[in-house]
Amino acid sequence: NAGVTQTPKFQVLKTGQSMTLQCAQDMNHNSMYWYRQDPGMGLRLIYYSASEGTTDKGEVPNGYNVSRLNKREFSLRLESAAPSQTSVYFCASSERRESNQPQHFGDGTRLSIL
Amino acid sequence: KNQVEQSPQSLIILEGKNCTLQCNYTVSPFSNLRWYKQDTGRGPVSLTIMTFSENTKSNGRYTATLDADTKQSSLHITASQLSDSASYICVVRALSGGSYIPTFGRGTSLIVHP
């Protein structure tokens, strides 16, 4: 029962480097999400994909891009990392964006940018 | 602006004791409210969901209440266990308006001591 799998679990980058965070779910969910979690703040939505082939901006999309590669996979890319992007990144999936079913979260990627 | 406020920010209790966590929201129009538990180093996991017509719902030792008139919810934990040590996050979802982006509270950090 893998659920939502995120890779890598930890990463350290230098300012200006690029990186792609990977996320895959095996629950046949239609919708997928990327959040960031900073100390003392609630989870904030970066981007989401309501269904395969679609992506939309969330609350804090600047500095990020996403790709919904197929129904299972949703990646998050930092083109030119900045120290302000140091955070814990969570990927989540749900049956459908409009449903009352819960979002299922991965265990996060801890990203530090020096 | 939609907001979710949780209190207290942190709480320390002895094993076996009860506790109550609070969530106040200004999200409108209301669709549902969900409580998540987030263990250290892990992603959030759903505990329970409250819809407009529900006043109380239990999940084992966890009981959630909802007062839609005052826009308040509480999560009561009975006979706490060491494994209850975690962050508890309240998430409120708006009904419509072309946006299904949930609003996350900052969480209450609960520590249960033996």
Side-chain angles (χ1 to χ4, degrees):
Chain A
N1 294 340
V4 178
T5 302
Q6 293 184 235
T7 56
K9 295 187 185 304
F10 302 93
Q11 185 69 47
V12 179
L13 294 177
K14 294 181 179 179
T15 297
Q17 288 185 316
S18 62
M19 168 157 197
T20 299
L21 308 186
Q22 306 287 352
C23 175
Q25 51 91 9
D26 62 2
M27 295 171 282
N28 200 37
H29 285 167
N30 291 297
S31 300
M32 298 185 73
Y33 315 81
W34 275 106
Y35 293 91
R36 61 178 289 173
Q37 187 175 41
D38 300 297
M41 299 189 69
L43 284 153
R44 292 183 292 170
L45 184 66
I46 303 171
Y47 271 94
Y48 65 95
S49 172
S51 60
E52 186 178 356
T54 69
T55 61
D56 286 286
K57 296 179 180 180
E59 182 184 357
V60 288
N62 291 344
Y64 305 94
N65 286 302
V66 291
S67 296
R68 183 75 182 267
L69 305 171
N70 47 56
K71 191 170 185 178
R72 289 186 65 249
E73 299 172 290
F74 189 37
S75 63
L76 177 72
R77 183 162 178 83
L78 286 70
E79 291 291 352
S80 179
S84 62
Q85 294 178 305
T86 293
S87 189
V88 182
Y89 291 86
F90 286 97
C91 177
S93 70
S94 66
E95 187 179 283
R96 284 181 301 112
R97 188 163 148 255
E98 299 83 359
S99 78
N100 278 341
Q101 294 303 309
Q103 293 186 14
H104 296 259
F105 288 82
D107 284 336
T109 293
R110 283 141 190 86
L111 183 61
S112 293
I113 299 162
L114 307 178
Chain B
K1 180 181 179 182
N2 291 334
Q3 288 189 314
V4 175
E5 299 291 338
Q6 292 188 243
S7 62
Q9 185 175 357
S10 61
L11 183 61
I12 301 174
I13 62 173
L14 292 175
E15 187 178 12
K17 298 297 186 182
N18 304 334
C19 67
T20 300
L21 314 180
Q22 300 289 344
C23 174
N24 297 339
Y25 61 92
T26 58
V27 174
S28 181
F30 177 85
S31 173
N32 61 61
L33 182 150
R34 190 180 292 277
W35 285 93
Y36 283 88
K37 178 187 180 188
Q38 184 177 19
D39 293 319
T40 301
R42 305 296 299 273
V45 175
S46 176
L47 290 175
T48 188
I49 182 174
M50 305 292 290
T51 57
F52 187 86
S53 59
E54 295 175 308
N55 297 117
T56 184
K57 183 179 287 185
S58 292
N59 177 4
R61 293 180 298 102
Y62 300 102
T63 299
T65 65
L66 175 67
D67 186 333
D69 291 332
T70 62
K71 300 186 177 182
Q72 296 180 325
S73 177
S74 66
L75 181 69
H76 185 74
I77 304 175
T78 304
S80 61
Q81 300 177 358
L82 298 179
S83 60
D84 292 330
S85 295
S87 178
Y88 292 83
I89 302 171
C90 175
V91 185
V92 184
R93 194 166 149 190
L95 179 63
S96 63
S99 171
Y100 293 95
I101 298 175
T103 303
F104 287 76
R106 298 182 180 186
T108 292
S109 176
L110 174 65
I111 298 174
V112 180
H113 279 311

